[in-house]
């Protein structure tokens, strides 16, 4: 569980060091993409804990979800349909579900550890 | 081992997420700080209240002007009427911003100290309007910016590299002279996530000063309604 956290910290530091600046008009698309990315990672952690992790599904899911979420938000803005609500709802719900399952697995592991 | 391989990939994706998070926070800061939806809703309500109040006051001014012309007609015949008329005219002038006023209140100074060519007021000229809005909501009785009295037809808008107030060009530092209840005004502008916080997150230097005696000069223009006619 520590390696992903380490990666996150490295990423944050890289973000501060690298001179990447997102145009302010793209913030709403970025936020949806970020949510999709977080959902993918939670899904990945869950699959890892369930020993069902497949790197192809994980990587393709990450990039696919992120790009589609950002694209849908953009398309929604152009068409006047707030499609990003759909992305936020879907990914948000899944995020909580995945977290609930991760929590259950982790608690089970802890219980088994202390039984023996 | 299959298990650790998965974690390495997750860690790599986490690096990307970290970069995304930082980019997002950076651009939100560039947008002018976080404005919560509650705050936006609250400001919308305040704005609507202001609009209604403005309409009401404008109606008041129109009725008072009618009164003036009525009293002027009566003036020749009755001295008591003249006296009352003069009092009413003075009160109406005070409210409409046509007299110099004096009283307790606060002085807000907005400035930008760095000389790097960036002008936060040009980038976010609306902030001045928001501040006037907040002050009015907090019961300010008279406001002037750099000596320009804010009346109900005053505009605050970016025009080229200056901010026009009452049709006159202004640039920073901006000094707001505000007459009203000192503590109410201070707490209204100093509210957490309030207007001065937003200004400071936009690199504006803010100084608030209390004073027992503030002078707000009168509006130096004239108001002529070309199209609007009072309904009789």
């Amino acid at each position: 569980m520590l390696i992903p956290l380490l990666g996150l910290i490295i990423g944050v530091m890289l973000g501060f060091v690298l001179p990447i600046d997102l145009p302010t008009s793209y913030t709403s698309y970025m936020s949806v993409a970020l949510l999709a990315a977080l959902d993918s990672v939670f899904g990945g952690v869950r699959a890892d804990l369930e020993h069902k992790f497949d790197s192809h599904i994980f990587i393709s899911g990450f990039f696919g979800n992120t790009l589609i979420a950002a694209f849908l938000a953009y398309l929604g803005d152009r068409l006047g349909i707030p499609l990003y609500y759909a992305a936020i709802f879907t990914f948000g719900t899944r995020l909580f579900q995945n977290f609930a399952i991760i929590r259950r697995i982790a608690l089970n592991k802890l219980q088994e550890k202390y039984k023996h | 081992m299959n298990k650790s391989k998965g974690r390495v990939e997750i860690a790599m994706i986490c690096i990307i997420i970290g970069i995304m998070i930082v980019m997002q926070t950076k651009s939100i800061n560039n947008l002018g700080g976080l404005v919560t939806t509650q705050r936006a809703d609250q400001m919308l309500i305040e704005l609507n209240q202001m609009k209604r109040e403005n309409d009401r006051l404008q109606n008041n001014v129109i009725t008072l002007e009618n009164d003036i012309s009525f009293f002027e007609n009566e003036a020749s015949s009755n001295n008591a009427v003249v006296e009352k008329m003069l009092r009413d005219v003075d009160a109406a002038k005070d409210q409409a911003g046509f007299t110099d006023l004096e009283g307790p209140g606060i002085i807000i100074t907005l400035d930008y100290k760095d000389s790097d060519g960036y002008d936060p007021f040009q980038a976010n000229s609306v902030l001045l309007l928001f501040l006037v809005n907040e002050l009015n909501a907090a019961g300010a009785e008279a406001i002037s910016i750099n000596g320009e009295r804010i009346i109900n037809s005053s505009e605050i808008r970016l025009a080229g590299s200056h901010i026009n107030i009452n049709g006159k060009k202004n640039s920073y530092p901006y000094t707001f002279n505000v007459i009203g209840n000192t503590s109410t005004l201070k707490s209204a502008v100093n509210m957490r996530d309030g207007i001065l916080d937003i200004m400071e997150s936009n690199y504006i230097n803010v100084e608030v000063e209390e004073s027992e005696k503030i002078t707000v000069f009168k509006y130096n223009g004239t108001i002529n309604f070309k199209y609007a006619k009072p309904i009789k």
Side-chain angles (χ1 to χ4, degrees), chain A residues 11-80:
Chain A
V12 168
M13 286 197 290
L14 267 181
F16 274 112
V17 172
L18 292 177
I20 319 170
D21 234 346
L22 190 74
T24 42
S25 47
Y26 293 131
T27 2
S28 59
Y29 313 136
M30 187 63 173
S31 59
V32 177
L34 188 60
L35 190 64
L38 280 175
D39 168 61
S40 290
V41 166
F42 270 89
V45 171
R46 175 194 160 185
D48 187 33
L49 287 173
E50 286 177 339
H51 305 291
K52 286 195 286 193
F53 187 82
D54 182 331
S55 62
H56 296 293
I57 292 177
F58 177 63
I59 302 277
S60 65
F62 172 78
F63 287 106
N65 278 350
T66 311
L67 291 177
I68 285 180
F71 174 70
L72 275 185
Y74 172 77
L75 191 72
D77 272 3
R78 289 289 156 276
L79 297 177

Side-chain angles (χ1 to χ4, degrees), chain B residues 24-228:
Chain B
Q24 180 76 355
T25 43
K26 266 186 192 167
S27 47
I28 279 182
N29 279 338
N30 284 348
L31 267 179
L34 210 62
V35 178
T36 60
T37 44
Q38 279 159 323
R39 172 106 187 106
D41 286 350
Q42 188 196 340
M43 281 174 76
L44 196 69
I45 293 168
E46 278 174 16
L47 193 70
N48 282 336
Q49 278 174 347
M50 287 280 300
K51 271 185 189 158
R52 263 199 300 270
E53 185 70 11
N54 235 11
D55 287 347
R56 198 180 64 76
L57 281 175
Q58 207 139 13
N59 285 337
N60 255 0
V61 171
I62 292 168
T63 10
L64 287 171
E65 270 176 0
N66 280 343
D67 282 357
I68 291 171
S69 56
F70 171 72
F71 284 139
E72 272 169 355
N73 291 336
E74 293 281 301
S76 53
S77 62
N78 198 329
N79 265 337
V81 175
V82 173
E83 248 173 62
K84 181 174 179 347
M85 176 194 87
L86 282 174
R87 270 205 309 276
D88 281 4
V89 167
D90 285 346
K93 274 184 174 172
D94 287 352
Q95 283 177 1
F98 284 92
T99 49
D100 295 346
L101 294 177
E102 192 180 75
I106 58 173
I107 298 174
I108 304 172
T109 312
L110 306 177
D111 201 356
Y112 183 65
K113 294 275 162 63
D114 295 347
S115 53
D116 53 4
Y118 175 69
D119 186 349
F121 299 101
Q122 211 171 315
N124 294 294
S125 54
V126 190
L127 288 178
L128 296 180
L129 258 179
F130 287 167
L131 180 53
V132 171
N133 194 29
E134 286 296 323
L135 291 168
N136 277 332
E141 289 177 0
I143 304 172
S144 74
I145 307 174
N146 287 0
E148 280 305 326
R149 179 67 167 271
I150 302 300
I151 60 166
N152 55 18
S153 64
S154 293
E155 88 285 16
I156 300 175
R157 68 188 281 269
L158 187 68
S161 57
H162 293 90
I163 291 180
N164 272 12
I165 302 170
N166 287 345
K168 296 191 184 75
K169 284 179 179 176
N170 283 273
S171 58
Y172 64 85
Y174 295 94
T175 311
F176 283 65
N177 285 13
V178 190
I179 296 178
N181 183 320
T182 314
S183 57
T184 314
L185 289 172
K186 261 191 107 168
S187 56
V189 293
N190 282 325
M191 182 167 52
R192 204 169 73 83
D193 277 337
I195 182 66
L196 291 188
D197 272 1
I198 295 172
M199 286 190 165
E200 270 169 355
S201 68
N202 280 292
Y203 313 109
I204 296 173
N205 289 64
V206 180
E207 268 172 48
V208 181
E209 213 181 295
E210 283 179 44
S211 177
E212 275 307 300
K213 202 173 164 190
I214 290 176
T215 316
V216 174
F217 292 111
K218 66 179 178 188
Y219 174 68
N220 283 323
T222 48
I223 302 174
N224 284 321
F225 287 131
K226 254 190 239 166
Y227 303 103

Side-chain angles (χ1 to χ4, degrees), chain A residues 1 4 8 34-50 53 58 62 91-103 105, chain B residues 10 13-14 17:
Chain A
M1 215 50 242
L8 194 67
L34 188 60
L35 190 64
L38 280 175
D39 168 61
S40 290
V41 166
F42 270 89
V45 171
R46 175 194 160 185
D48 187 33
L49 287 173
E50 286 177 339
F53 187 82
F58 177 63
F62 172 78
F91 292 127
T93 316
R94 258 201 355 225
L95 204 81
F96 282 112
Q97 276 173 357
N98 279 338
F99 180 70
I101 290 165
I102 290 170
R103 188 163 44 89
I105 293 170
Chain B
I10 292 173
I13 297 297
C14 276
I17 288 182

